[in-house]
Amino acid sequence: MKKIFQLIITIASISGLMACHDLDVPVTTQLTPDIFPQTPTQFIQAAGPTYNAFRQNYSTDYWFLQSLSTDEAILPARGGNWYDGGRYEQHHKHTWNQDNPHVQSAWSWLTSTISTSNQNIFLISKAPESPAKQTSLAELRTMRAMCYFMMMDMWGNIPISTKFGDTTTARTTARADVFKFIEKELQESIPNLSTVVGQETYGRPNKYTAYTILAKMYLNAEVYTGTARWNDAIIACDNVISSGKYAIESDYRKMFFVNNGPQIKEFIFAIPYDASAPNGYMFYARYSLPRSLRAKYSLPFTPSSAASTLPEFYAYFNDAKDVRNQQWITGKQFDYKGNPVMVSTTKQGYDEDYKGADAGTALSYQVDITPDVIIKKPATFDLGNDEKAWNMGYRNNKFYADSTSATRNQNNDVPIFRYADVLLMKAEAIARGGSATNGQTAISLVNEVRSKRTTSAAWTSVTLQQLYEERAREFTWEAWHRNDMIRFGKYEDTWGAKTDKDVKKRLFPIPTNALQLNRSLTQNPGY
């Protein structure tokens, strides 16, 4: 399954189309419309640089901004490790500024991908007319629209540039106008996008990818534009549902295993990752697994033990019969043979505050992952330098640790859009006042998802709060929780060490490097 994307990566590498952070970048490829592309395969190869660019920062900088800024995840320092100038503390406390490294790199990543898309569109548009050409252009426009959607969601008012070689400086565009631009791009692309689902189109957008992006936009339209569009969200969801090409997977955990891929019936759009490719870019286990479990998972590296969840978020996992509980590493740890996972240290190594005369006495203890995350040293956002600190906070192992890789890079593909999300989006739009369609109600849609997640009794009614909590359970660690929190009005709540309630933090600041490169940009309010 990885060979499909490996081919794209290879073509991207040899074509020389890697973009810089400027939205206007000259063509350096030796491929010309006279000789390439012509066949459907060549069109896919020619578009490869866009997909290679897109995969690079999604599971790192983008994930940091989307998850660490919520109650879903926290990445504190432990024993002086991972403070990194306070960048992760800023995400947790909402105290970031325009110089936060992840704010800068996420902006650069998305603008670079957009720039690469513009290059690819320019090249392909010069090829002779054919159905393959129109499909390729539609796919690239959809990828570009997806990047603009992510930028609009994070920064609001952003620059729009679509013409390769345009020497004009892209100015800040109002968020509502960015919304209209993305909507138009997707609507114009849909007729030429494929309806094929599975290996043939895996890792590239099809019609249903475009409809799902539209559904996301319409569900959040009140946030983005000030005008609710619940019925439009329902129509967009129906276009996916009525296709009959997707279904809720019966095994939740296997969707995120190392060998996931085109066979997953829920994946509408996923990023294929290959640990053997240069810079695999996907290493969730590195951040979230306890270092003491390296041997249990046969990992070639020692996990950092850095990221965990907070008790406030874990409280949503309150159904003992729900399979989604299994994505968490909690409590006393055992190996696969049922033996306790033991760690050898000293009494003071286990608890740095222990001052007894026998502080250096050897101590062997069973690893116990505890729920609370206690900031012991606020000045450095540090939990302490002992075994208790390293074991604080329940860990997420949704994207199951990859023992097949020789490096910290993982082979797990990462879904951006799943069919479960489409069903829950439609349920929410109905619950918020949209019109039920096709005999489906908010409760029937929620139960369709829950029937494959828990053996508990079906719900007989559903509130918006219940929908919010269901989304938290379903999409943990999939980079949607910030989007949900803002839409449900919970982003200004307090959790952990966060107390900031400033609604202006619903947008990130335009980074300093972007403002320096483009003097026409306007900084967001409050920064």
Side-chain angles (χ1 to χ4, degrees):
M1 299 304 181
K2 307 297 180 185
K3 290 182 180 178
I4 305 167
F5 201 71
Q6 184 61 53
L7 176 63
I8 292 176
I9 296 170
T10 302
I11 296 297
S13 299
I14 66 173
S15 67
L17 281 174
M18 295 305 294
C20 71
H21 298 158
D22 192 343
L23 290 178
D24 302 315
V25 183
V27 169
T28 57
T29 180
Q30 295 180 353
L31 304 177
T32 68
D34 295 331
I35 60 172
F36 183 81
Q38 297 179 28
T39 68
T41 299
Q42 288 174 339
F43 278 110
I44 294 171
Q45 293 169 347
T50 292
Y51 299 100
N52 187 48
F54 184 74
R55 68 190 282 266
Q56 292 185 19
N57 293 68
Y58 183 85
S59 297
T60 53
D61 302 299
Y62 183 74
W63 185 88
F64 289 142
L65 294 180
Q66 296 294 339
S67 293
L68 295 179
S69 65
T70 73
D71 61 355
E72 175 182 67
I74 182 173
L75 204 161
R78 301 173 195 256
N81 298 280
W82 288 97
Y83 183 62
D84 291 357
R87 64 184 68 179
Y88 306 107
E89 177 184 18
Q90 291 170 13
H91 298 330
H92 178 76
K93 294 183 176 180
H94 289 196
T95 57
W96 53 71
N97 58 31
Q98 57 265 39
D99 296 315
N100 181 279
H102 298 137
V103 170
Q104 293 185 343
S105 53
W107 175 282
S108 296
W109 160 61
L110 287 167
T111 54
S112 291
T113 304
I114 290 166
S115 178
T116 304
S117 300
N118 288 340
Q119 292 177 27
N120 290 166
I121 290 170
F122 175 80
L123 170 66
I124 291 173
S125 67
K126 302 301 180 182
E129 289 301 321
S130 69
K133 170 186 173 180
Q134 293 306 315
T135 296
S136 183
L137 289 173
E139 290 173 350
L140 287 167
R141 289 177 71 183
T142 301
M143 289 300 300
R144 185 175 64 188
M146 192 187 312
C147 292
Y148 273 123
F149 165 72
M150 292 175 176
M151 290 191 71
M152 175 186 68
D153 182 67
M154 291 195 290
W155 286 284
N157 306 328
I158 57 172
I160 293 177
S161 177
T162 60
K163 293 182 179 180
F164 166 71
D166 186 357
T167 58
T168 61
T169 302
R171 296 181 177 273
T172 300
T173 303
R175 197 181 205 182
D177 291 329
V178 177
F179 184 103
K180 292 177 183 177
F181 164 77
I182 300 170
E183 182 181 32
K184 183 173 182 289
E185 283 286 291
L186 293 170
Q187 289 173 340
E188 291 179 355
S189 298
I190 284 171
N192 291 310
L193 290 170
S194 175
T195 59
V196 174
V197 173
Q199 184 169 338
E200 184 179 334
T201 58
Y202 189 70
R204 309 194 328 268
N206 58 20
K207 284 186 190 292
Y208 313 111
T209 305
Y211 282 129
T212 305
I213 300 171
L214 285 171
K216 283 285 184 185
M217 290 175 57
Y218 295 143
L219 192 68
N220 292 278
E222 196 166 21
V223 174
Y224 298 148
T225 70
T227 302
R229 296 181 65 175
W230 310 125
N231 284 329
D232 287 330
I234 290 168
I235 292 170
C237 290
D238 281 343
N239 280 315
V240 179
I241 297 169
S242 63
S243 73
K245 297 191 176 185
Y246 300 95
I248 300 297
E249 287 284 345
S250 58
D251 193 327
Y252 182 79
R253 295 303 314 281
K254 284 187 178 180
M255 278 196 289
F256 310 101
F257 280 2
V258 175
N259 60 351
N260 64 355
Q263 75 277 12
I264 302 299
K265 294 176 292 184
E266 273 195 45
F267 286 4
I268 297 173
F269 184 84
I271 302 176
Y273 282 101
D274 186 343
S276 66
N279 298 319
Y281 299 112
M282 193 288 185
F283 30 77
Y284 286 161
R286 173 200 177 194
Y287 294 106
S288 60
L289 258 63
R291 60 182 185 177
S292 58
L293 299 187
R294 175 181 179 178
K296 176 178 178 178
Y297 292 103
S298 302
L299 298 178
F301 64 93
T302 300
S304 68
S305 301
S308 63
T309 195
L310 291 160
E312 295 94 327
F313 185 80
Y314 187 74
Y316 299 135
F317 292 81
N318 51 13
D319 178 2
K321 298 179 180 180
D322 195 322
V323 68
R324 292 171 294 194
N325 297 344
Q326 297 173 14
Q327 67 186 289
W328 297 104
I329 298 174
T330 66
K332 298 283 188 181
Q333 294 300 301
F334 299 85
D335 64 22
Y336 289 118
K337 295 181 179 180
N339 301 313
V341 176
M342 305 299 294
V343 169
S344 297
T345 183
T346 64
K347 289 187 175 181
Q348 194 169 59
Y350 177 75
D351 181 355
E352 65 180 347
D353 294 325
Y354 184 81
K355 305 301 181 184
D358 60 345
T361 300
L363 173 69
S364 182
Y365 77 97
Q366 182 181 2
V367 174
D368 186 6
I369 308 300
T370 57
D372 293 326
V373 181
I374 302 170
I375 307 298
K376 188 175 181 181
K377 302 173 183 178
T380 53
F381 202 53
D382 204 313
L383 307 186
N385 190 22
D386 54 27
E387 291 297 320
K388 292 197 303 182
W390 286 101
N391 294 326
M392 281 187 188
Y394 289 164
R395 311 305 167 82
N396 189 275
N397 192 26
K398 182 179 208 167
F399 294 91
Y400 201 81
D402 187 358
S403 62
T404 69
S405 171
T407 69
R408 68 186 185 184
N409 297 328
Q410 297 178 231
N411 285 291
N412 319 58
D413 295 347
V414 176
I416 297 180
F417 303 119
R418 288 199 285 120
Y419 187 59
D421 201 352
V422 171
L423 297 184
L424 293 180
M425 284 195 290
K426 181 176 179 180
E428 183 183 334
I430 294 172
R432 290 185 182 275
S435 302
T437 59
N438 302 328
Q440 294 173 318
T441 64
I443 189 60
S444 71
L445 290 160
V446 174
N447 279 330
E448 185 174 347
V449 176
R450 286 179 55 79
S451 66
K452 298 296 179 68
R453 308 301 190 230
T454 178
T455 56
S456 293
W459 286 354
T460 57
S461 62
V462 62
T463 65
L464 285 175
Q465 177 63 27
Q466 287 174 313
L467 275 168
Y468 172 77
E469 294 178 10
E470 187 67 16
R471 291 190 61 83
R473 286 184 286 268
E474 181 68 23
F475 305 112
T476 299
W477 245 249
E478 293 184 56
W480 285 115
H481 195 51
R482 172 183 164 274
N483 183 277
D484 289 344
M485 292 195 88
I486 292 173
R487 187 173 68 258
F488 280 87
K490 297 180 181 295
Y491 200 55
E492 289 72 53
D493 291 353
T494 59
W495 56 79
K498 172 189 172 290
T499 58
D500 195 314
K501 294 181 178 294
D502 190 350
V503 296
K504 293 177 181 177
K505 299 299 175 65
R506 293 185 179 187
L507 295 177
F508 291 107
I510 296 176
T512 297
N513 57 355
L515 293 169
Q516 291 172 340
L517 284 170
N518 185 350
R519 299 293 182 178
S520 298
L521 299 181
T522 303
Q523 182 58 276
N524 282 325
Y527 296 104

